Amino acid sequence: MKKFHVLTIFPEFFECFKNTGIVSRAVEKGIVQINTVNLRDYTTDKHRTVDDVVYGGGPGMLLKPEPIFRAYEDISQNGKPYVLITEPWGRKFDQQFAWELAEKDRDILIICGRYEGVDERVKSIVDEEVSIGDFVLSGGEPAALVIMDAVIRLIPGVVGDEDSIRADSFSDGLLGYPNYTRPAVYKGMEVPEVLRSGNHKLINLWRRWKQVENTLKKRPELLEKADLTQNDKKMLEMIKEGKTFEDFLKKYKL
Ligand code: SAM
Protein backbone atom coordinates (compact mmCIF):
# COMPACT_ATOMS: atom_id res chain seq x y z
CA MET A 1 0.00 0.00 0.00
CA LYS A 2 1.18 3.50 -0.84
CA LYS A 3 0.85 5.92 2.05
CA PHE A 4 0.83 9.70 1.76
CA HIS A 5 1.08 11.96 4.79
CA VAL A 6 0.15 15.57 4.19
CA LEU A 7 1.22 18.09 6.78
CA THR A 8 -1.09 21.09 6.57
CA ILE A 9 -2.93 23.71 8.58
CA PHE A 10 -6.02 22.99 6.43
CA PRO A 11 -6.68 19.21 6.57
CA GLU A 12 -10.29 19.81 5.46
CA PHE A 13 -8.90 20.92 2.09
CA PHE A 14 -8.29 17.25 1.22
CA GLU A 15 -11.69 15.78 2.18
CA CYS A 16 -13.33 16.19 -1.22
CA PHE A 17 -10.20 14.86 -2.95
CA LYS A 18 -10.08 11.73 -0.79
CA ASN A 19 -13.76 11.03 -1.44
CA THR A 20 -13.92 11.52 -5.19
CA GLY A 21 -13.46 9.31 -8.25
CA ILE A 22 -10.35 7.24 -8.84
CA VAL A 23 -8.67 8.39 -5.62
CA SER A 24 -11.57 7.35 -3.41
CA ARG A 25 -11.71 3.94 -5.10
CA ALA A 26 -7.96 3.49 -4.58
CA VAL A 27 -8.43 4.33 -0.89
CA GLU A 28 -11.41 1.96 -0.58
CA LYS A 29 -9.45 -0.86 -2.25
CA GLY A 30 -6.62 -0.31 0.25
CA ILE A 31 -4.09 0.52 -2.50
CA VAL A 32 -3.57 4.04 -1.20
CA GLN A 33 -3.83 5.73 2.16
CA ILE A 34 -3.97 9.51 2.58
CA ASN A 35 -3.17 10.62 6.10
CA THR A 36 -3.82 14.34 6.53
CA VAL A 37 -1.96 15.65 9.55
CA ASN A 38 -3.05 18.88 11.19
CA LEU A 39 0.04 20.92 11.97
CA ARG A 40 -1.82 22.57 14.84
CA ASP A 41 -1.97 19.21 16.65
CA TYR A 42 1.80 19.52 17.09
CA THR A 43 1.81 22.96 18.69
CA THR A 44 2.37 23.32 22.43
CA ASP A 45 0.77 26.67 23.30
CA LYS A 46 -2.87 27.18 24.11
CA HIS A 47 -3.48 29.22 20.95
CA ARG A 48 -2.06 26.39 18.79
CA THR A 49 0.26 28.85 17.05
CA VAL A 50 1.91 27.61 13.85
CA ASP A 51 3.42 30.86 12.58
CA ASP A 52 5.69 33.66 13.65
CA VAL A 53 7.26 36.87 12.34
CA VAL A 54 10.18 36.85 9.90
CA TYR A 55 13.70 37.51 11.19
CA GLY A 56 15.20 40.57 9.51
CA GLY A 57 11.81 42.20 9.10
CA GLY A 58 9.50 42.23 6.12
CA PRO A 59 5.86 41.47 5.49
CA GLY A 60 3.97 38.32 6.41
CA MET A 61 4.51 35.39 8.70
CA LEU A 62 6.36 32.08 8.46
CA LEU A 63 5.48 28.55 9.55
CA LYS A 64 7.49 27.86 12.71
CA PRO A 65 9.92 24.93 12.71
CA GLU A 66 8.97 23.24 16.02
CA PRO A 67 5.49 21.87 15.10
CA ILE A 68 6.80 20.67 11.74
CA PHE A 69 9.74 18.80 13.33
CA ARG A 70 7.44 17.32 15.97
CA ALA A 71 4.97 16.09 13.35
CA TYR A 72 7.83 14.70 11.23
CA GLU A 73 9.26 12.78 14.19
CA ASP A 74 5.85 11.34 14.98
CA ILE A 75 5.21 10.28 11.37
CA SER A 76 8.74 8.82 11.11
CA GLN A 77 8.17 6.39 13.98
CA ASN A 78 7.08 3.74 11.49
CA GLY A 79 9.98 4.40 9.11
CA LYS A 80 11.42 7.54 7.55
CA PRO A 81 9.15 8.85 4.79
CA TYR A 82 10.36 10.46 1.59
CA VAL A 83 9.84 14.13 2.39
CA LEU A 84 8.66 16.72 -0.12
CA ILE A 85 8.02 20.36 0.62
CA THR A 86 5.99 22.58 -1.70
CA GLU A 87 8.01 25.58 -2.88
CA PRO A 88 7.59 27.80 -5.95
CA TRP A 89 11.33 27.45 -6.60
CA GLY A 90 11.39 23.66 -6.20
CA ARG A 91 12.00 20.98 -8.82
CA LYS A 92 9.29 21.34 -11.45
CA PHE A 93 6.71 18.58 -11.06
CA ASP A 94 6.22 16.53 -14.23
CA GLN A 95 5.29 13.02 -15.32
CA GLN A 96 8.84 11.74 -14.77
CA PHE A 97 8.77 13.07 -11.20
CA ALA A 98 5.34 11.46 -10.71
CA TRP A 99 6.73 8.06 -11.84
CA GLU A 100 9.67 8.39 -9.46
CA LEU A 101 7.31 9.01 -6.54
CA ALA A 102 4.94 6.21 -7.59
CA GLU A 103 7.86 3.76 -7.61
CA LYS A 104 9.27 4.73 -4.18
CA ASP A 105 8.82 2.00 -1.64
CA ARG A 106 8.55 4.47 1.24
CA ASP A 107 5.71 6.58 2.57
CA ILE A 108 5.62 10.07 1.10
CA LEU A 109 5.28 13.10 3.33
CA ILE A 110 4.25 16.39 1.72
CA ILE A 111 4.78 19.49 3.84
CA CYS A 112 2.47 22.28 2.70
CA GLY A 113 3.86 25.78 3.12
CA ARG A 114 1.62 28.76 3.93
CA TYR A 115 2.03 32.51 4.51
CA GLU A 116 5.52 33.54 3.36
CA GLY A 117 6.64 29.91 3.54
CA VAL A 118 8.44 27.86 6.18
CA ASP A 119 11.47 28.44 8.39
CA GLU A 120 14.47 27.39 6.27
CA ARG A 121 15.74 24.98 8.95
CA VAL A 122 12.85 22.66 8.08
CA LYS A 123 14.79 21.88 4.88
CA SER A 124 17.17 19.72 6.92
CA ILE A 125 14.49 16.98 6.95
CA VAL A 126 13.38 17.49 3.34
CA ASP A 127 14.45 15.23 0.46
CA GLU A 128 13.14 17.44 -2.36
CA GLU A 129 11.48 20.81 -2.84
CA VAL A 130 8.68 20.60 -5.41
CA SER A 131 6.95 23.22 -7.51
CA ILE A 132 3.88 22.74 -9.70
CA GLY A 133 4.77 25.69 -11.93
CA ASP A 134 6.16 29.17 -12.20
CA PHE A 135 3.42 30.97 -10.31
CA VAL A 136 2.74 31.66 -6.65
CA LEU A 137 -0.08 29.92 -4.78
CA SER A 138 -1.23 31.07 -1.37
CA GLY A 139 -0.39 27.67 0.07
CA GLY A 140 1.05 24.26 -0.77
CA GLU A 141 -2.28 22.40 -0.48
CA PRO A 142 -3.33 22.71 -4.15
CA ALA A 143 0.18 21.57 -5.12
CA ALA A 144 -0.08 18.54 -2.79
CA LEU A 145 -3.41 17.64 -4.44
CA VAL A 146 -1.91 17.85 -7.91
CA ILE A 147 1.08 15.74 -6.92
CA MET A 148 -0.96 13.04 -5.18
CA ASP A 149 -3.49 12.84 -8.01
CA ALA A 150 -0.79 12.40 -10.67
CA VAL A 151 1.10 9.81 -8.58
CA ILE A 152 -1.91 7.79 -7.44
CA ARG A 153 -3.12 7.03 -10.96
CA LEU A 154 0.28 5.48 -11.77
CA ILE A 155 0.12 2.97 -8.92
CA PRO A 156 -0.70 -0.52 -10.23
CA GLY A 157 -4.35 -1.44 -9.72
CA VAL A 158 -5.63 2.14 -9.43
CA VAL A 159 -6.62 2.79 -13.06
CA GLY A 160 -8.65 -0.13 -14.44
CA ASP A 161 -7.09 -0.16 -17.90
CA GLU A 162 -3.34 0.29 -17.54
CA ASP A 163 -2.96 0.71 -21.31
CA SER A 164 -4.69 4.05 -20.91
CA ILE A 165 -1.81 5.26 -18.72
CA ARG A 166 0.72 4.24 -21.34
CA ALA A 167 -1.22 6.16 -24.00
CA ASP A 168 -1.42 9.30 -21.86
CA SER A 169 0.48 12.45 -22.70
CA PHE A 170 4.12 12.46 -21.54
CA SER A 171 4.19 8.73 -20.78
CA ASP A 172 6.68 8.10 -23.59
CA GLY A 173 7.75 11.68 -24.13
CA LEU A 174 4.97 12.57 -26.60
CA LEU A 175 1.58 14.20 -26.15
CA GLY A 176 -1.54 12.05 -26.41
CA TYR A 177 -3.81 11.64 -29.48
CA PRO A 178 -7.31 13.09 -29.95
CA ASN A 179 -10.34 10.95 -29.11
CA TYR A 180 -13.99 10.96 -30.18
CA THR A 181 -17.18 9.37 -28.91
CA ARG A 182 -20.65 8.98 -30.43
CA PRO A 183 -22.38 10.38 -32.45
CA ALA A 184 -20.27 9.78 -35.56
CA VAL A 185 -21.42 13.11 -37.00
CA TYR A 186 -22.22 16.09 -34.80
CA LYS A 187 -23.13 19.53 -36.14
CA GLY A 188 -21.59 18.49 -39.44
CA MET A 189 -18.29 17.45 -37.78
CA GLU A 190 -17.30 13.88 -38.57
CA VAL A 191 -15.30 11.41 -36.53
CA PRO A 192 -12.27 10.45 -38.70
CA GLU A 193 -13.18 7.43 -40.83
CA VAL A 194 -10.13 5.44 -39.80
CA LEU A 195 -11.43 5.29 -36.21
CA ARG A 196 -14.65 3.71 -37.46
CA SER A 197 -12.88 1.22 -39.73
CA GLY A 198 -12.40 -1.51 -37.12
CA ASN A 199 -8.84 -1.95 -38.49
CA HIS A 200 -6.78 -1.80 -35.29
CA LYS A 201 -3.41 -1.80 -36.97
CA LEU A 202 -4.46 1.25 -38.97
CA ILE A 203 -6.04 2.90 -35.93
CA ASN A 204 -2.81 2.49 -33.94
CA LEU A 205 -0.79 3.99 -36.79
CA TRP A 206 -3.19 6.94 -37.05
CA ARG A 207 -3.01 7.53 -33.29
CA ARG A 208 0.76 7.49 -33.37
CA TRP A 209 0.74 9.90 -36.31
CA LYS A 210 -1.53 12.23 -34.29
CA GLN A 211 0.75 11.98 -31.24
CA VAL A 212 3.75 13.01 -33.30
CA GLU A 213 1.76 15.77 -35.04
CA ASN A 214 0.25 17.05 -31.77
CA THR A 215 3.66 17.18 -30.12
CA LEU A 216 5.29 18.93 -33.07
CA LYS A 217 2.49 21.50 -33.14
CA LYS A 218 2.04 22.14 -29.43
CA ARG A 219 5.23 21.15 -27.59
CA PRO A 220 8.01 20.77 -30.19
CA GLU A 221 10.74 20.89 -27.52
CA LEU A 222 9.51 17.51 -26.20
CA LEU A 223 10.56 15.84 -29.46
CA GLU A 224 14.22 16.50 -28.71
CA LYS A 225 14.09 14.29 -25.62
CA ALA A 226 11.51 11.73 -26.79
CA ASP A 227 12.64 8.20 -27.54
CA LEU A 228 11.38 8.08 -31.15
CA THR A 229 11.17 4.82 -33.11
CA GLN A 230 12.19 4.62 -36.78
CA ASN A 231 8.50 4.77 -37.66
CA ASP A 232 7.99 7.89 -35.50
CA LYS A 233 10.90 9.54 -37.27
CA LYS A 234 9.42 8.77 -40.70
CA MET A 235 6.11 10.24 -39.56
CA LEU A 236 7.80 13.32 -38.16
CA GLU A 237 9.65 13.93 -41.40
CA MET A 238 6.46 13.69 -43.44
CA ILE A 239 4.47 15.89 -41.04
CA LYS A 240 7.20 18.52 -41.30
CA GLU A 241 6.93 18.32 -45.10
CA GLY A 242 3.18 19.05 -44.77
CA LYS A 243 2.16 15.53 -45.88
CA THR A 244 -1.03 13.78 -44.67
CA PHE A 245 -1.56 10.43 -42.93
CA GLU A 246 -2.88 9.07 -46.26
CA ASP A 247 0.39 10.16 -47.95
CA PHE A 248 2.27 8.25 -45.23
CA LEU A 249 0.22 5.08 -45.83
CA LYS A 250 0.79 5.34 -49.58
CA LYS A 251 4.52 6.01 -49.34
CA TYR A 252 5.18 3.05 -47.02
CA LYS A 253 2.54 0.82 -48.67
CA LEU A 254 0.69 0.26 -45.37
N1 SAM B 1 7.49 33.76 -0.19
C1 SAM B 1 7.40 32.77 -1.20
C2 SAM B 1 8.24 33.16 -2.40
O1 SAM B 1 8.93 34.13 -2.35
O2 SAM B 1 8.21 32.45 -3.41
C3 SAM B 1 5.93 32.51 -1.60
C4 SAM B 1 5.15 31.88 -0.51
S1 SAM B 1 3.58 31.32 -1.04
C5 SAM B 1 2.58 32.71 -0.80
C6 SAM B 1 3.07 30.24 0.25
C7 SAM B 1 3.35 28.77 0.04
O3 SAM B 1 2.60 28.29 -1.06
C8 SAM B 1 4.76 28.39 -0.28
O4 SAM B 1 5.55 28.32 0.89
C9 SAM B 1 4.59 27.03 -0.92
O5 SAM B 1 4.47 26.04 0.05
C10 SAM B 1 3.27 27.19 -1.63
N2 SAM B 1 3.44 27.47 -3.07
C11 SAM B 1 3.28 28.65 -3.70
N3 SAM B 1 3.50 28.54 -5.01
C12 SAM B 1 3.78 27.25 -5.25
C13 SAM B 1 4.12 26.52 -6.42
N4 SAM B 1 4.17 27.09 -7.61
N5 SAM B 1 4.34 25.20 -6.30
C14 SAM B 1 4.30 24.59 -5.10
N6 SAM B 1 3.99 25.25 -3.95
C15 SAM B 1 3.74 26.56 -4.02
Side-chain angles (χ1 to χ4, degrees), residues 86-89 113-117 130-133 135-140 143:
T86 55
E87 281 289 11
W89 57 70
R114 273 277 155 181
Y115 314 121
E116 284 310 311
V130 53
S131 164
I132 59 160
F135 42 79
V136 177
L137 301 164
S138 40

Side-chain angles (χ1 to χ4, degrees), residues 61-63 85-93 111-118 129-144 147:
M61 303 292 274
L62 272 190
L63 286 177
I85 189 163
T86 55
E87 281 289 11
W89 57 70
R91 173 178 166 198
K92 193 83 70 73
F93 189 66
I111 302 173
C112 300
R114 273 277 155 181
Y115 314 121
E116 284 310 311
V118 301
E129 298 176 320
V130 53
S131 164
I132 59 160
D134 290 348
F135 42 79
V136 177
L137 301 164
S138 40
E141 287 77 7
I147 294 162

Side-chain angles (χ1 to χ4, degrees), residues 79-116:
K80 191 191 165 326
Y82 192 76
V83 183
L84 298 173
I85 189 163
T86 55
E87 281 289 11
W89 57 70
R91 173 178 166 198
K92 193 83 70 73
F93 189 66
D94 59 12
Q95 195 68 6
Q96 166 62 29
F97 201 162
W99 273 114
E100 288 173 29
L101 296 175
E103 282 164 4
K104 289 226 179 301
D105 54 6
R106 282 153 74 184
D107 290 3
I108 293 173
L109 165 61
I110 307 178
I111 302 173
C112 300
R114 273 277 155 181
Y115 314 121
E116 284 310 311

